């Protein structure tokens, strides 16, 4: 074994977009991108989808939000039109820490990906 893969077997060959994480944000982005004709693969580390959307019957929860809209803007900024970020912590509309924020961030990231995709198609 020399570690090389047969042609056509890497995720990059099979999908236009790789999404890391099948939480609300990742699934929201996947839904919008596939509805717009892109081939999407969602990679999830757990043996279930949903992320923090999960029935939990013990105590309550708390979390430490990343403070300030500026931090969320920085977290949501794409890298080189290749790496895009979603997730409740990247929501800039006041819904950090919620499913609403996660879903909205997935749609925002999907919109960024679609714009980038269309721009590169125009450039040939
Ligand atoms: C106990 C509890 C109660 C809550 N109650 C409410 C509520 O009442 N109302 C509300 O709006 N919100 C509530 N929330 C918050 C809400 O669940 C989260 O804001 C939202 O689900 C976050 O979604 P997300 O997609 O941003 O992140 P996540 O749900 O965390 O999804 C991230 C996914 O990525 C996967 N992942 C991470 N790293 C990798 C990797 N390297 N490779 C592959 N997969 C990876 C994770 O396994 C996970 O599935 C609650 C949260 C908790 C914990």
């Amino acid at each position: 074994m020399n570690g090389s893969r047969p042609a056509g077997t890497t995720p990059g060959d099979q999908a236009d977009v790789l999404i890391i994480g099948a939480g609300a944000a990742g699934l929201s982005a996947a839904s919008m991108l596939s509805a717009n004709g892109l081939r999407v693969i969602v990679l999830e580390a757990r043996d279930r989808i949903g992320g923090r959307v999960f029935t939990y019957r013990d105590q309550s929860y708390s979390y430490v939000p990343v403070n300030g809209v500026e931090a969320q803007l920085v977290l949501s900024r794409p890298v080189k039109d290749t790496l895009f970020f979603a997730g409740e912590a990247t929501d800039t509309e006041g819904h950090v820490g919620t499913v609403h924020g996660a879903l909205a961030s997935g749609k925002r990231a999907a919109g960024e990906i679609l714009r980038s995709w269309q721009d590169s198609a125009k450039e040939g």
Side-chain angles (χ1 to χ4, degrees):
M1 296 286 283
N2 63 7
S4 63
R5 293 171 192 258
T9 61
T10 65
D13 294 327
Q14 297 164 32
D16 301 311
V17 181
L18 291 179
I19 294 179
I20 312 298
L27 294 175
S28 158
S31 168
M32 185 165 155
L33 291 169
S34 33
N36 279 275
L38 270 65
R39 297 171 307 154
V40 176
I41 288 180
V42 181
L43 300 173
E44 170 55 52
R46 292 181 170 132
D47 61 0
R48 62 171 179 83
I49 64 168
R52 278 172 275 170
V53 177
F54 185 69
T55 303
Y56 181 76
R57 292 194 175 86
D58 186 25
Q59 305 170 7
S60 70
Y61 84 108
S62 64
Y63 70 98
V64 182
V66 180
N67 287 321
V69 170
E70 182 61 27
Q72 284 125 38
L73 284 171
V74 171
L75 285 171
S76 68
R77 207 167 284 155
V79 176
K80 296 186 175 175
D81 269 355
T82 302
L83 194 54
F84 298 83
F85 300 97
E88 52 82 10
T90 70
D91 177 75
T92 54
E93 306 295 321
H95 302 288
V96 170
T98 68
V99 172
H100 182 115
L103 294 172
S105 73
K107 287 184 184 164
R108 188 248 320 132
E112 292 166 354
I113 292 167
L114 288 168
R115 277 192 294 281
S116 167
W117 188 265
Q118 285 153 3
D119 288 348
S120 50
K122 274 185 217 153
E123 289 164 12

